[in-house]
Amino acid sequence: AQSVAQPEDQVNVAEGNPLTVKCTYSVSGNPYLFWYVQYPNRGLQFLLKYITGDNLVKGSYGFEAEFNKSQTSFHLKKPSALVSDSALYFCAVRDSNQGGKLIFGQGTELSVKP
Amino acid sequence: EAGVTQFPSHSVIEKGQTVTLRCDPISGHDNLYWYRRVMGKEIKFLLHFVKESKQDESGMPNNRFLAERTGGTYSTLKVQPAELEDSGVYFCASSRKGQGGYEQYFGPGTRLTVT
């Protein structure tokens, strides 16, 4: 079965420090991977995606993610965290069987403290 | 370009009542998806429309849920009768034609509370 795991319910970092939000996946075939962010009382916003090509993907708001096929991971990273990055982050993979539906991880709450 | 919109933003109903959620996708997006997040758990797929046709409704929990997409434009999701376990946030998303690597654009969600 295809799945996505975000092993950390919460990540705490100090402002200015680098951040990493972890994601691992299990799919058949080549994965299409996505990161979304949900700010309080808002919908999900697309951050970035990996389809093919360079393993390091750059996205919105200074975020990037590294695709690692051997470790089946797609960790989200940012070199210097901002307090405004505090939000709920979801990793997702496109279902390779049909339709393009997304399979989500359980979400990781990122808290950036001043 | 207007984003995906959903109405209402919040709905509180009693068990046994009926609620209808509406989603207006981004203009020109053929694909429309419904998802649900219950009790802080992962976001789960409900169903997928391509234009007005149901492509995949494997995630619909039971026959109390009915989704329609009129003329391939907006979509409605009706819950009748509502049960306590239906409480959660219902998200709608749309994407361009085709099923490749196009990202899905999400609406703000409808928070449904069944009491």
Side-chain angles (χ1 to χ4, degrees), chain A residues 4-9 22 24 88-91 103-109, chain B residues 37 40-43:
Chain A
V4 174
Q6 293 179 242
E8 300 156 317
D9 289 337
K22 296 179 180 178
T24 58
L88 186 57
Y89 291 80
F90 290 96
C91 181
I103 300 167
F104 284 88
Q106 61 268 45
T108 298
E109 186 80 41
Chain B
R37 188 174 192 229
K41 296 184 179 178
E42 69 269 26
I43 299 168

Side-chain angles (χ1 to χ4, degrees), chain A residues 32 34 36 38 41-46 49 51 88 90 94-95 98-107, chain B residues 31 33 35 37 40-45 48 55-56 58 91 99-109:
Chain A
Y32 289 359
F34 303 83
Y36 285 86
Q38 185 180 20
N41 302 313
R42 303 285 296 276
L44 280 80
Q45 294 182 30
F46 169 76
K49 66 181 178 183
I51 304 300
L88 186 57
F90 290 96
R94 175 183 170 272
D95 189 327
Q98 61 173 341
K101 68 184 180 187
L102 296 176
I103 300 167
F104 284 88
Q106 61 268 45
Chain B
N31 292 297
Y33 303 83
Y35 295 88
R37 188 174 192 229
K41 296 184 179 178
E42 69 269 26
I43 299 168
K44 287 197 172 181
F45 166 80
H48 169 213
Q55 178 81 9
D56 179 3
S58 62
F91 292 103
Q99 296 163 9
Y102 299 124
E103 58 269 28
Q104 296 178 20
Y105 294 89
F106 282 75

Side-chain angles (χ1 to χ4, degrees), chain A residues 35 37 39 45-49 57-65 76-78 85 89, chain B residues 103:
Chain A
W35 275 101
V37 58
Y39 297 102
Q45 294 182 30
F46 169 76
L47 273 181
L48 51 79
K49 66 181 178 183
V57 179
K58 295 188 182 297
S60 306
Y61 312 122
F63 283 93
E64 57 189 28
L76 182 69
K77 299 181 180 182
K78 187 173 183 180
D85 292 330
Y89 291 80
Chain B
E103 58 269 28

Side-chain angles (χ1 to χ4, degrees), chain A residues 59-91:
Chain A
S60 306
Y61 312 122
F63 283 93
E64 57 189 28
E66 186 170 9
F67 171 66
N68 187 315
K69 188 172 183 179
S70 63
Q71 297 185 6
T72 61
S73 67
F74 189 56
H75 300 331
L76 182 69
K77 299 181 180 182
K78 187 173 183 180
S80 178
L82 300 173
V83 173
S84 57
D85 292 330
S86 298
L88 186 57
Y89 291 80
F90 290 96
C91 181

